[in-house]
Amino acid sequence: MNERAIGLSGGARPRGQYRPDWPHGPHGPHGPHGPHGPQRLQWPQRARPARERGSVVLWFLLTVTIFMIFGAFAIDLPRVATARNELQNDADAAALAGAAVLVPGSGGPAWSSAATETSNAVSLNASDGAKLSTGSVQTGYWSLTGATAGMEPTTIAPGEYDVPAVQVTVTRASNQNGGPIALLMGGFLNLLSTPGSATAVAVVAAPSTVEGGGLFPMVIDKCVLDQYWNAQTNEPVIDPSTGQPKEFDVGNGQQYGSGCYAAQWTSFLINANDVPTVRNLIANGNPTPLNIGDNIWIEPGVKTTIYYDVPKGVTVVLPVAEQITSKTYVPIVAFAAFTIDNSYGKSGKYLEGHFVGGYKIPVSASGNGPNYGAYAEPRLAF
């Protein structure tokens, strides 16, 4: 058997040896590297469906829309909040300005003047750059205890805790104060603007606390107020013969009915009766704040020389108490405004004067108390 036959019948064929199925060698038409030889398998590429491409676009548009909505909120919400805060600040300032002229003195609240002052004050401010020009103004009485809701008419007979008040509402809307508040990004939500409104109520009320330096060292009995103060009008009782508040005397045991002593000296929180102490209290007032409910010392007897140190023709604020006949501590129940017209020494030792309405306490005062003519600075009640 020749070598070719051996090569065909068994064993590995040497590299490059002739094979009958490769008549032209490995690079021939049927060889492994030829055009008709065995080929590597290749997977066909799958085309992306049109529906999948549309979903990507939809998600992109949805995401952009959401981001634009959040952007609109991020830009416009702070602007709207700022604009509405400016409306509230304007309403607060206008109400306080009106309340400041609401109680000028005796004769009842100055309703008309307060309304005019409030309206004028509205136009001093702006909201989000829009000039404010008008507001809805109402005057009347406001219940400090919440016994009635909202403003009460000026024609009512006010109760003990019904106080003069001014209410103002400032609105930005169509044809009002520059129109509604514009939204810079609101077009994405088909919302180009939004209205804004703010309301404030300012009152002038009698206090429950008077800071140091605000009180004269004489306490008046509430029984005198029952006779010389008109609780229905919150004004002094008028003398028909003069058309002015009734005059009366206080000090040195002056009485107005059984057991009703008009007034006594007080050293406030301390037990003292020496001339230097009382003289200092006349000049400087109470050294510490005093509240309704605080106990103050009653000192019935004071030397004649003290009456020559009393100022005349001035209005002072007196603490009000009950049962002031003897040397003891009694609680303060209110504060009252009293004008000292004259002071008499020697054998008289008394003060002559009258109650007044609408007196603004010259020092800081706060809280709510019965109204006997002495008021704190106007403050916001709503």
Side-chain angles (χ1 to χ4, degrees):
M1 185 178 294
N2 59 29
E3 294 179 359
R4 181 182 296 270
I6 294 173
L8 289 173
S9 61
R13 185 178 285 108
R15 180 177 178 85
Q17 188 170 348
Y18 172 80
R19 286 182 52 175
D21 54 339
W22 295 352
H24 300 287
H27 294 280
H30 298 282
H33 303 295
H36 301 293
Q39 301 292 320
R40 292 182 180 178
L41 293 177
Q42 295 186 2
W43 295 100
Q45 292 187 354
R46 183 171 59 91
R48 189 180 298 275
R51 183 174 58 185
E52 185 174 331
R53 294 195 298 269
S55 297
V56 172
V57 173
L58 180 60
W59 276 107
F60 173 77
L61 292 176
L62 182 60
T63 303
V64 170
T65 301
I66 292 173
F67 275 115
M68 293 181 74
I69 291 174
F70 275 107
F73 279 116
I75 293 173
D76 283 328
L77 284 182
R79 286 186 62 255
V80 172
T82 299
R84 287 177 173 167
N85 284 340
E86 290 171 341
L87 285 175
Q88 188 64 63
N89 291 341
D90 180 73
D92 292 348
L96 289 169
V101 300
L102 191 55
V103 185
S106 296
W111 304 118
S112 179
S113 297
T116 299
E117 188 69 22
T118 302
S119 296
N120 292 339
V122 169
S123 63
L124 299 178
N125 295 291
S127 169
D128 193 35
K131 177 75 173 174
L132 302 175
S133 59
T134 184
S136 175
V137 179
Q138 182 182 359
T139 57
Y141 289 97
W142 185 267
S143 174
L144 296 177
T145 61
T148 57
M151 293 284 287
E152 299 177 272
T154 61
T155 54
I156 70 164
E160 186 176 21
Y161 290 96
D162 293 330
V163 296
V166 177
Q167 176 177 290
V168 58
T169 299
V170 184
T171 301
R172 284 193 61 184
S174 297
N175 301 318
Q176 286 184 274
N177 295 313
I181 304 166
L183 301 178
L184 298 180
M185 303 291 287
F188 296 109
L189 303 176
N190 196 28
L191 185 64
L192 301 180
S193 63
T194 183
S197 183
T199 298
V201 176
V203 301
V204 280
S208 61
T209 300
V210 177
E211 297 295 324
L215 299 175
F216 187 79
M218 180 171 278
V219 57
I220 197 158
D221 200 310
K222 186 177 178 297
C223 63
V224 179
L225 285 157
D226 294 339
Q227 300 178 53
Y228 289 89
W229 183 261
N230 188 334
Q232 297 300 313
T233 62
N234 282 327
E235 293 289 328
V237 172
I238 302 301
D239 186 340
S241 63
T242 63
Q244 300 298 319
K246 279 188 174 182
E247 295 275 337
F248 59 96
D249 301 336
V250 296
N252 198 26
Q254 300 290 332
Q255 294 188 47
Y256 294 88
S258 177
C260 181
Y261 285 81
Q264 303 282 15
W265 291 95
T266 175
S267 49
F268 298 123
L269 298 178
I270 62 173
N271 179 352
N273 189 31
D274 59 281
V275 171
T277 296
V278 177
R279 183 173 286 150
N280 178 65
L281 295 175
I282 290 174
N284 300 305
N286 51 309
T288 59
L290 287 174
N291 311 285
I292 290 177
D294 287 347
N295 291 310
I296 55 175
W297 180 254
I298 302 300
E299 187 58 60
V302 175
K303 295 185 180 298
T304 301
T305 184
I306 291 298
Y307 288 88
Y308 297 110
D309 295 311
V310 174
K312 304 177 186 65
V314 299
T315 298
V316 297
V317 180
L318 307 178
V320 180
E322 297 180 278
Q323 301 298 322
I324 60 172
T325 57
S326 59
K327 295 183 178 182
T328 186
Y329 280 100
V330 295
I332 298 172
V333 298
F335 301 101
F338 180 77
T339 294
I340 303 172
D341 294 316
N342 283 296
S343 178
Y344 300 95
K346 297 184 179 179
S347 60
K349 294 196 297 184
Y350 66 92
L351 306 181
E352 182 182 59
H354 60 273
F355 292 127
V356 296
Y359 177 72
K360 188 166 65 176
I361 301 173
V363 301
S364 178
S366 59
N368 303 319
N371 178 13
Y372 292 119
Y375 290 93
E377 285 284 346
R379 65 180 185 272
L380 294 171
F382 178 82

